[in-house]
Amino acid sequence: SAHLGISMGRGGTEVAKEASDVVLLDNNFRSIISAIEEGRSIYSTIKKVLLYLVSTSIGEFFSITVAIALGFPLPLSPSQILWLNLVTDGFFVVALAFEPNVSIKEKIKSIGNTDLLSRESLTRAFLMGFTMMFGTLALFYIGYSVGSYKVWTLSLTLLVVFQWFNAWNCRSDKNSAFYKTFSNIYLLFGLLGALLLHIFALYNPFMNKILKVVPLDFFDWIIVLMIASSILLVEETRKILSNYRSRHLQRTT
């Protein structure tokens, strides 16, 4: 009835080896601890990447479908949607895979639910996705009078920056996005690469024609950063409330 059967590789019988799930070739029980740590690290990484992909996909999907339902023009062109996925998913999915591992003791405390997308994860995904949607559609609705190319550029850039910040949100379900900010150098390089690519797209005439975008001025960038930072505020508030509720439950039990 065990979830995982383990047998000795050197001294164990052939029957035991055949019936077991794991065979310790070196007969060293410390290998089990290392294997558990590695397995939980892989599991934790998959959950972070999946949360990031689902939440950003929800933001993009509902930004387009709600705009259509309200009778708005499309906030993004097809080429911009492809670019959005290129400059965000490619960099940050890989970078999140290199997020430093927490200790095995910390993982044991939160190992209860083994679903890759638990109820809490789905709540976080929809919360962050809807934040992206509301911010994008509000900016698109207000700015549409300035011209289609300009508002398309603003909507695209806002979703891009939303997803930059969202990658930091997905680093942990309990710790702040600002906790050990520089511990994952790959995430910093991913942000730098995504930033340089998007700047190249906005200020290169050839890319302007392909993506149907125009250069943004300093004031435009300030507006985009202010709106996009709301996703950090929303998730930080959720983490504070979640941590407070967890501590309160521990005290009462």
Side-chain angles (χ1 to χ4, degrees):
S1 62
H3 291 94
L4 189 69
I6 301 175
S7 65
M8 294 298 195
R10 294 178 182 174
T13 65
E14 291 301 319
V15 174
K17 293 178 185 178
E18 289 293 331
S20 63
D21 299 288
V22 175
V23 179
L24 292 177
L25 298 178
D26 56 0
N27 281 16
N28 189 349
F29 281 100
R30 291 174 181 255
S31 301
I32 301 176
I33 299 176
S34 300
I36 291 172
E37 286 184 325
E38 187 64 27
R40 288 182 180 172
S41 296
I42 294 172
Y43 170 78
S44 176
T45 298
I46 293 174
K47 287 189 67 175
K48 292 172 187 175
V49 170
L50 194 58
L51 174 64
Y52 174 77
L53 290 174
V54 171
S55 59
T56 53
S57 297
I58 288 173
E60 295 173 26
F61 175 77
F62 281 103
S63 294
I64 295 172
T65 54
V66 172
I68 295 173
L70 295 176
F72 294 171
L74 286 176
L76 297 171
S77 69
S79 60
Q80 289 171 349
I81 295 173
L82 291 174
W83 179 256
L84 177 62
N85 292 323
L86 174 66
V87 300
T88 54
D89 294 352
F91 282 99
F92 294 110
V93 166
V94 174
L96 283 172
F98 289 95
E99 187 67 23
N101 299 324
V102 296
S103 70
I104 190 170
K105 291 182 180 179
E106 292 180 51
K107 291 175 185 176
I108 288 174
K109 295 176 183 178
S110 60
I111 201 64
N113 193 324
T114 57
D115 293 336
L116 286 176
L117 274 179
S118 62
R119 179 179 297 180
E120 182 182 9
S121 296
L122 284 173
T123 300
R124 293 179 67 195
F126 275 97
L127 187 62
M128 292 185 285
F130 283 166
T131 302
M132 295 182 202
M133 178 200 72
F134 284 121
T136 302
L137 291 182
L139 181 62
F140 183 77
Y141 178 76
I142 294 171
Y144 191 71
S145 59
V146 301
S148 58
Y149 277 25
K150 180 64 175 287
V151 76
W152 267 349
T153 307
L154 287 170
S155 299
L156 172 64
T157 303
L158 178 58
L159 274 172
V160 166
V161 179
F162 261 135
Q163 296 186 18
W164 294 350
F165 290 157
N166 194 38
W168 259 261
N169 281 338
C170 295
R171 294 176 62 211
S172 172
D173 59 343
K174 300 296 182 185
N175 295 325
S176 168
F178 307 101
Y179 177 73
K180 295 184 178 180
T181 307
F182 303 104
S183 62
N184 187 348
I185 192 67
Y186 297 99
L187 197 57
L188 297 174
F189 280 127
L191 174 61
L192 179 61
L195 174 62
L196 292 177
L197 269 179
H198 194 64
I199 289 176
F200 172 74
L202 295 186
Y203 300 99
N204 180 274
F206 177 72
M207 294 299 294
N208 288 171
K209 293 179 181 179
I210 293 177
L211 296 177
K212 298 180 181 179
V213 295
V214 294
L216 298 179
D217 57 33
F218 179 76
F219 182 69
D220 294 329
W221 277 102
I222 294 297
I223 293 175
V224 166
L225 289 171
M226 287 179 62
I227 298 175
S229 63
S230 64
I231 199 170
L232 288 173
L233 178 62
V234 168
E235 179 62 4
E236 289 297 302
T237 303
R238 188 208 63 79
K239 288 178 180 178
I240 291 172
L241 294 176
S242 176
N243 290 336
Y244 173 79
R245 185 167 58 250
S246 297
R247 289 194 296 268
H248 179 71
L249 289 174
Q250 288 176 359
R251 286 197 298 266
T252 56
T253 55

